């Protein structure tokens, strides 16, 4: 990676809009220290409704990263893609190199790096996909050669973007971080049981509005009752008419991931939130290997919270 960075002019770090704090990796940030960087929050369409509250949140996030540049993007929105291209072209013009400019896109698994590359290539040079994409993390397996996303001026070779595999293991300092990353699809669905993940999603749905699932069941904190209702409503029944709660859980999770069951942010975004997060991370470590233990811890914590709310 260090060898690769020595040939790169600009790093584009992708983070998931829905988890602006949880999708950062402080260990990876250390390796980028001192590098010119553009931070792109992807999947904006899945966490924003375009309201005043969303605008205030984005302004706070920009303040977190100052003086680094921050952009928010939906790769299907050509306006957003053109904004990133304009930044790249402006940066390239300042560099003024005959050999063109090489940018490296990095970020945790399934954050949308390859989708961004493909969108930039389509808008920039009118060409189709250059990188594979998928719903599960780990589609990109190796660091690719540079893909041209913008033509150069006169003798300039243009702008090339290099995609990287999502092999940068997500930083998981606690159980809730793992649940958030799993819910966003940044770790494989086999890591955490779908019913547990759906339980965590139900908690957030209730935080925002139970109306988000009113089609399937009245407001509830009971995940088993909720999933049984979803299974019956969607026809996910096993032999004998028994509700397939695991299948219902996977369906509900996917509905949220594609924006069909609410579009909201899982992290709490507030002024000073990034510094608070950094202080919490000091002395902590985390990896996917801790997932099962941390998941149990998170489940107990949510059960205690529900007991206190009910009391």
């Amino acid at each position: 990676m260090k060898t690769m960075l020595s040939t790169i002019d600009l790093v584009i770090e992708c983070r998931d809009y829905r988890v602006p704090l949880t999708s950062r990796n402080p260990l990876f940030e250390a390796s980028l220290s001192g590098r010119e960087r553009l931070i792109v929050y992807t999947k904006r369409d899945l966490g924003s409704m375009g309201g005043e509250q969303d605008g205030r949140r984005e302004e706070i996030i920009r303040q977190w990263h100052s003086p680094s540049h921050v952009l928010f993007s939906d790769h299907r929105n050509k306006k957003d893609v053109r904004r990133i291209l304009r930044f790249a072209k402006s940066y390239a013009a300042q560099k003024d190199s005959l050999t063109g400019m090489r940018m490296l896109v990095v970020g945790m698994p399934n954050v949308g790096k390859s989708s961004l590359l493909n969108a930039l290539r389509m808008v920039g040079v009118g060409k189709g996909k250059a990188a594979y994409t998928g719903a599960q993390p780990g589609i990109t397996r190796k660091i690719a050669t540079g893909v041209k996303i913008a033509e150069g001026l006169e003798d300039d070779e243009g702008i090339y973007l290099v995609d990287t595999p999502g092999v940068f293991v997500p930083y998981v300092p606690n159980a809730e971080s793992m649940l958030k990353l799993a819910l966003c699809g940044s770790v494989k669905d086999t890591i955490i049981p779908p019913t547990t993940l759906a339980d965590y999603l139900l908690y957030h749905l209730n935080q925002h509005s139970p109306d988000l699932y009113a089609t399937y069941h009245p407001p509830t904190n009971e995940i088993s009752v909720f999933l049984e209702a979803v299974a019956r409503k969607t026809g996910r029944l096993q032999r004998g008419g028994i509700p397939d709660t695991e299948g219902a859980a996977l369906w509900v999770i996917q509905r949220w991931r594609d924006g069909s069951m609410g579009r909201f942010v899982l992290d709490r975004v507030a002024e000073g939130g990034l510094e608070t997060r950094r202080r919490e991370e000091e002395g902590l470590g985390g990896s996917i290997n801790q997932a099962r233990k941390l998941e149990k811890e998170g489940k107990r914590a949510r059960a205690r919270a529900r007991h206190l709310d009910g009391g």
Side-chain angles (χ1 to χ4, degrees):
M1 186 66 181
K2 290 182 179 179
T3 302
M4 171 64 71
L5 284 173
S6 67
T7 66
I8 296 299
D9 300 297
L10 176 69
V11 174
I12 297 181
E13 183 186 354
C14 292
R15 298 186 183 181
D16 193 312
Y17 187 97
R18 298 165 295 180
V19 280
L21 289 170
T22 307
S23 61
R24 63 181 289 273
N25 188 329
L27 304 178
F28 182 54
E29 278 193 344
S31 67
L32 295 179
S33 179
R35 306 279 319 180
E36 189 69 26
R37 180 171 42 153
L38 168 65
I39 300 171
V40 176
Y41 280 90
T42 61
K43 306 186 182 183
R44 181 192 202 179
D45 55 309
L46 300 179
S48 170
M49 299 297 291
E52 291 184 11
Q53 183 177 358
D54 297 310
R56 288 195 296 270
R57 181 193 307 117
E58 290 174 10
E59 184 56 37
I60 290 173
I61 292 174
R62 287 191 184 95
Q63 293 172 9
W64 286 352
H65 299 296
S66 181
S68 293
H69 296 278
V70 177
L71 294 175
F72 303 92
S73 173
D74 166 11
H75 73 270
R76 294 171 297 183
N77 186 320
K78 289 187 177 180
K79 184 179 178 180
D80 288 350
V81 177
R82 289 192 184 101
R83 189 178 293 115
I84 298 171
L85 269 176
R86 283 198 300 271
F87 180 91
K89 290 178 178 179
S90 175
Y91 188 86
Q94 295 174 26
K95 184 175 181 292
D96 192 24
S97 170
L98 295 177
T99 59
M101 186 175 80
R102 284 169 60 83
M103 304 188 302
L104 182 70
V105 59
V106 299
M108 67 181 186
N110 208 29
V111 76
K113 300 182 297 296
S114 297
S115 295
L116 177 62
L117 185 154
N118 289 331
L120 289 169
R121 176 178 165 88
M122 176 59 71
V123 173
V125 296
K127 294 185 178 181
K129 285 187 176 183
Y132 292 106
T133 60
Q136 287 295 298
I139 298 298
T140 303
R141 293 294 185 180
K142 62 181 180 180
I143 294 177
T145 55
V147 174
K148 180 177 279 191
I149 62 168
E151 299 291 348
L153 299 175
E154 298 177 353
D155 295 329
D156 192 334
E157 288 293 323
I159 302 175
Y160 290 81
L161 187 61
V162 180
D163 191 12
T164 57
V167 295
F168 305 109
V169 177
Y171 184 73
V172 188
N174 53 52
E176 189 167 16
S177 293
M178 173 57 74
L179 289 168
K180 289 177 180 178
L181 292 172
L183 190 54
C184 290
S186 292
V187 296
K188 292 189 176 181
D189 286 339
T190 54
I191 297 294
I192 294 179
T195 51
T196 299
L197 205 52
D199 188 18
Y200 183 65
L201 173 58
L202 179 61
Y203 166 77
H204 277 281
L205 291 173
N206 284 329
Q207 290 279 308
H208 287 82
S209 173
D211 289 342
L212 292 170
Y213 60 85
T215 303
Y216 310 101
H217 197 277
T220 181
N221 283 324
E222 297 299 325
I223 188 60
S224 58
V225 172
F226 173 63
L227 291 179
E228 285 180 10
V230 169
R232 295 186 187 282
K233 191 77 173 182
T234 61
R236 286 169 168 75
L237 303 175
Q238 299 173 328
R239 184 176 298 178
I242 299 174
D244 179 5
T245 54
E246 184 168 313
L250 289 169
W251 185 82
V252 166
I253 292 166
Q254 189 55 46
R255 292 280 290 175
W256 181 79
R257 285 176 180 169
D258 65 22
S260 300
M261 193 172 282
R263 302 183 181 192
F264 50 81
V265 173
L266 300 178
D267 284 338
R268 181 177 179 273
V269 175
E271 293 183 15
L274 181 58
E275 287 303 315
T276 300
R277 176 80 174 192
R278 284 172 175 162
R279 287 196 296 270
E280 291 173 349
E281 289 168 349
E282 289 179 3
L284 295 177
S287 70
I288 290 180
N289 294 331
Q290 296 173 308
R292 301 187 189 283
K293 177 181 177 182
L294 293 173
E295 178 266 318
K296 291 180 181 179
E297 177 188 324
K299 194 171 183 179
R300 287 196 296 268
R302 292 194 308 283
R304 288 196 295 271
R306 283 189 180 132
H307 176 71
L308 291 174
D309 290 343

